[in-house]
Amino acid sequence: MHRPAVFAALLGLTRAASQVGDFWVQTDFCACVKGASDDAPVTYEDPAIKEKTTHGAADGRKACLHHCLTYTATQAIVAGLGARALGIRVHPGAAAAALALSFGTHYIADRRVPGHGVLEKLADKIGKTTFYRLASHGMNGAFHLDNSWHHGWETVAALIATTKATAR
């Protein structure tokens, strides 16, 4: 099996799956609450029943964990089925390591507690504070930095997943 081709296939599959997991599979509740903290609670209004609830750190961690689990499951399903359709046999250990990396780095990025989130702190350290906080002219800097963070780590994960890959 030609490793660069396997890498490209797995990266394409996981990238597509991440978009689906982030924007279609993630619940509205998780998207709104995953950054909640006790210092910066989030009030969520259920769109179906119009009930408002307030959520702190524990609910924020749970919402982020739930999102990352469904996100990673989406990647596993899409990459697994896609690899099978393409005749690629991914080593189970390499697949598990790649998915664990994707899960962990996704949680780190998406647990955006205001003033304490890893991406916000990283943006501050490298001089991207203004861009991180940009929310005008149709732009959202935090979103773009988040998305590029995911792209970078998914590339590393795809490299890991190609380890010991063979043809079916």
Side-chain angles (χ1 to χ4, degrees):
M1 183 122 269
H2 200 254
R3 192 166 182 215
V6 171
F7 165 75
L10 292 176
L11 180 59
L13 290 165
T14 57
R15 182 81 293 261
S18 73
Q19 294 295 99
V20 172
D22 246 352
F23 302 115
W24 288 97
V25 176
Q26 179 175 205
T27 66
D28 185 55
F29 177 83
C30 288
C32 293
V33 175
K34 65 188 177 185
S37 70
D38 293 337
D39 293 334
V42 170
T43 299
Y44 175 76
E45 182 177 343
D46 186 308
I49 60 174
K50 305 297 183 205
E51 178 185 354
K52 289 184 180 182
T53 52
T54 301
H55 303 275
D59 289 338
R61 286 189 295 271
K62 284 184 213 169
C64 194
L65 178 64
H66 182 267
H67 164 56
C68 291
L69 287 170
T70 60
Y71 170 91
T72 306
T74 302
Q75 283 188 315
I77 291 165
V78 170
L81 292 174
R84 185 164 190 81
L86 294 170
I88 300 167
R89 178 175 287 134
V90 179
H91 188 275
L99 290 168
L101 178 70
S102 184
F103 174 89
T105 58
H106 202 89
Y107 186 92
I108 287 168
D110 277 24
R111 187 74 179 107
R112 271 187 240 143
V113 175
H116 301 286
V118 171
L119 289 185
E120 183 177 1
K121 287 181 178 182
L122 181 59
D124 290 345
K125 284 186 184 191
I126 64 170
K128 295 277 185 197
T129 303
T130 303
F131 184 72
Y132 182 86
R133 293 197 174 105
L134 177 65
S136 62
H137 308 293
M139 289 282 293
N140 180 312
F143 170 78
H144 285 292
L145 291 173
D146 171 278
N147 217 18
S148 64
W149 167 274
H150 297 325
H151 282 243
W153 284 111
E154 286 160 6
T155 301
V156 175
L159 284 169
I160 292 168
T162 63
T163 306
K164 298 182 183 179
T166 61
R168 288 200 164 273

